[in-house]
Amino acid sequence: MAVDEVHECLFAYGTLQLESVQMSTFGRRLIGTRDALTGFALVPLTIDDPAVVAISGKVQHTMARFTGRESDVIPGTVLAVSRDELPSADRYEVAAVKRVAVVLQSGVRAWVYVDARQEPAQVEIRPAREADSASLSDAVKAVAAEKWYLATIDGFSLEQTRAYLQRIRDESLPQVTALVGHEVVGFCDIVPESAQGFAHVARLGMGVRSAWRRQGIGRRMLDACLSLARNSGIEKVELEVFADNLAAVRLYESFGFSLEGVKVRGRKLEGRYQDVKLMALWL
């Protein structure tokens, strides 16, 4: 397949990596690169479809099941396919799995087949509490460690996080977290400027752990936090977002944030330049 025909990335961790399966499914050998899927673990899957068994030569397969744990990593291969070839992959897979979009360890966005029978995790959106301090600190550090989404690459210490939450409580500032059980998987706040004459303006900050993205958590947090901001006297919400973080830019635009300017090559990290978009929303 020519390069200009490649429209999709498909992450394979099982039999789709086999040349015989690729030839039978797509009629050609696929080009692939090694990568990994974080936040999922492999579980056994017994195949009862004779056609799939005949192609793969195996009755026992594996499938990816979402855990949300950063320590769970599935190695595999990113395969280059066209949009027209995705239905062929769908036909090869069985009803126990479904194709979903994920972000891989490398940052590549890809399709992957995961357990379709798993009940979705219950994600609670609420303001952070003192007891959430350690998990919130860990969550910020995890997103910061990816380097390309937050202004900080180090995160904040437990002491800094506790002081931050104390200010949130003392000043009744808009802030929410996304939790699964007792684990913080996302965070969002809107903190007003402190300088005289600028208190009507607040700055938005948010992030979601990599394994929990593309599940609507960011949208739910932003909606909740903006509702709190509208009742707090804040008139304008500003933010800075790296221009190559397209998912975040689209999310902010969908809430009505407009572009006010661009810091061209505003950050240079590890030899990579990033433009910084300045966006704002009047409440």
Side-chain angles (χ1 to χ4, degrees):
M1 181 172 55
V3 173
D4 59 359
E5 294 176 333
V6 177
H7 299 290
E8 304 287 348
C9 290
L10 179 63
F11 181 70
Y13 52 84
T15 56
L16 272 177
Q17 297 177 99
L18 300 175
E19 182 177 351
S20 59
V21 173
Q22 294 174 8
M23 293 299 297
S24 179
T25 304
F26 305 104
R28 66 184 182 90
R29 182 180 179 182
L30 302 182
I31 299 172
T33 56
R34 300 299 293 174
D35 212 320
L37 177 63
T38 302
F40 288 77
L42 291 178
V43 296
L45 174 64
T46 300
I47 303 299
D48 55 14
D49 186 332
V52 175
V53 174
I55 294 171
S56 67
K58 299 180 179 181
V59 174
Q60 293 297 325
H61 289 213
T62 57
M63 63 179 169
R65 176 172 290 171
F66 183 75
T67 66
R69 294 188 295 264
E70 300 285 336
S71 57
D72 288 337
V73 180
I74 299 175
T77 306
V78 181
L79 304 172
V81 299
S82 71
R83 289 195 180 97
D84 291 340
E85 288 177 317
L86 282 175
S88 296
D90 292 342
R91 286 190 291 271
Y92 169 71
E93 298 293 346
V94 295
V97 300
K98 60 182 177 180
R99 176 161 54 88
V100 300
V102 296
V103 178
L104 300 175
Q105 200 171 71
S106 66
V108 168
R109 290 173 171 81
W111 295 105
V112 65
Y113 292 96
V114 302
D115 189 353
R117 303 168 300 181
Q118 184 179 18
E119 291 294 326
Q122 295 299 311
V123 180
E124 180 186 10
I125 308 296
R126 62 161 172 77
R129 301 166 183 162
E130 169 62 27
D132 302 320
S133 298
S135 187
L136 176 58
S137 177
D138 288 343
V140 175
K141 287 179 180 178
V143 178
E146 295 181 71
K147 300 179 182 180
W148 309 113
Y149 302 110
L150 300 182
T152 173
I153 63 173
D154 298 316
F156 304 100
S157 68
L158 179 57
E159 292 72 21
Q160 290 173 314
T161 302
R162 284 173 172 160
Y164 154 79
L165 288 180
Q166 186 63 53
R167 182 190 173 191
I168 293 294
R169 290 192 295 272
D170 290 346
E171 300 180 26
S172 299
L173 301 180
Q175 189 276 343
V176 296
T177 50
L179 298 100
V180 177
H182 298 293
E183 180 187 14
V184 174
V185 300
F187 47 87
C188 180
D189 61 28
I190 299 175
V191 179
E193 300 287 346
S194 56
Q196 186 174 359
F198 293 90
H200 67 296
V201 179
R203 183 172 295 274
L204 170 70
M206 64 180 297
V208 179
R209 283 183 177 268
S210 61
W212 292 89
R213 291 173 193 153
R214 292 182 173 269
Q215 299 186 50
I217 293 174
R219 178 172 295 278
R220 289 177 59 193
M221 290 195 302
L222 183 53
D223 184 54
C225 213
L226 286 173
S227 294
L228 293 174
R230 290 187 177 95
N231 295 320
S232 67
I234 294 171
E235 298 178 32
K236 184 183 182 186
V237 179
E238 297 180 340
L239 64 87
E240 294 188 2
V241 58
F242 295 117
D244 54 3
N245 189 356
L246 300 180
V249 172
R250 287 194 292 267
L251 173 64
Y252 298 138
E253 289 174 341
S254 72
F255 275 84
F257 282 83
S258 59
L259 183 67
E260 291 196 330
V262 178
K263 295 180 182 179
V264 178
R265 295 188 175 185
R267 183 167 80 158
K268 182 180 181 181
L269 184 64
E270 297 180 355
R272 169 179 164 184
Y273 290 103
Q274 288 178 288
D275 290 351
V276 181
K277 288 191 172 185
L278 312 178
M279 304 183 74
L281 173 69
W282 285 93
L283 300 180

